[in-house]
Amino acid sequence: MTDWLNEIKARAGAATPGTWCTEYDGTGTYTITADVRLHLDEGFSFGPPICTLAPDGDGTQAYANAEFIARARADVPRLLDWIGQLQAEVASLRREKEQLRMALIRGAA
């Protein structure tokens, strides 16, 4: 992997583990929390907040930003895995191409 991919992988590994959720407080504020459900007599509570997004005009941008941040927790590692698979496939195809090239050279000689 390139240096910048390794940096992304390190940041993803250092972030709060688990599934992240978006909570809405009814006033336009969205909070990103780790899905660590604590069962209480009254229901459940999510884990400690990771970040809070302040309300905006009609709330649509704050909601979109909150969903992006929350889903990035799972999306980034998934994309990094996919990039790793693609890099392995490219390396395999390059080796195969080199073998075919060498076979053609030997056949032409």
Side-chain angles (χ1 to χ4, degrees), residues 83-97:
I83 289 169
Q85 292 170 13
L86 292 173
Q87 288 176 325
E89 188 173 335
V90 166
S92 175
L93 290 170
R94 284 182 177 155
R95 285 189 301 274
E96 185 177 335
K97 180 187 90 170

Side-chain angles (χ1 to χ4, degrees), residues 54-67:
D56 63 346
D58 65 357
T60 56
Q61 191 62 56
Y63 174 75
N65 291 341
E67 281 294 297

Side-chain angles (χ1 to χ4, degrees), residues 24-42:
Y24 179 66
D25 71 356
T27 68
T29 300
Y30 290 90
T31 303
I32 309 302
T33 61
D35 188 9
V36 182
R37 295 176 189 228
L38 307 171
H39 296 280
L40 307 171
D41 292 337
E42 307 85 40

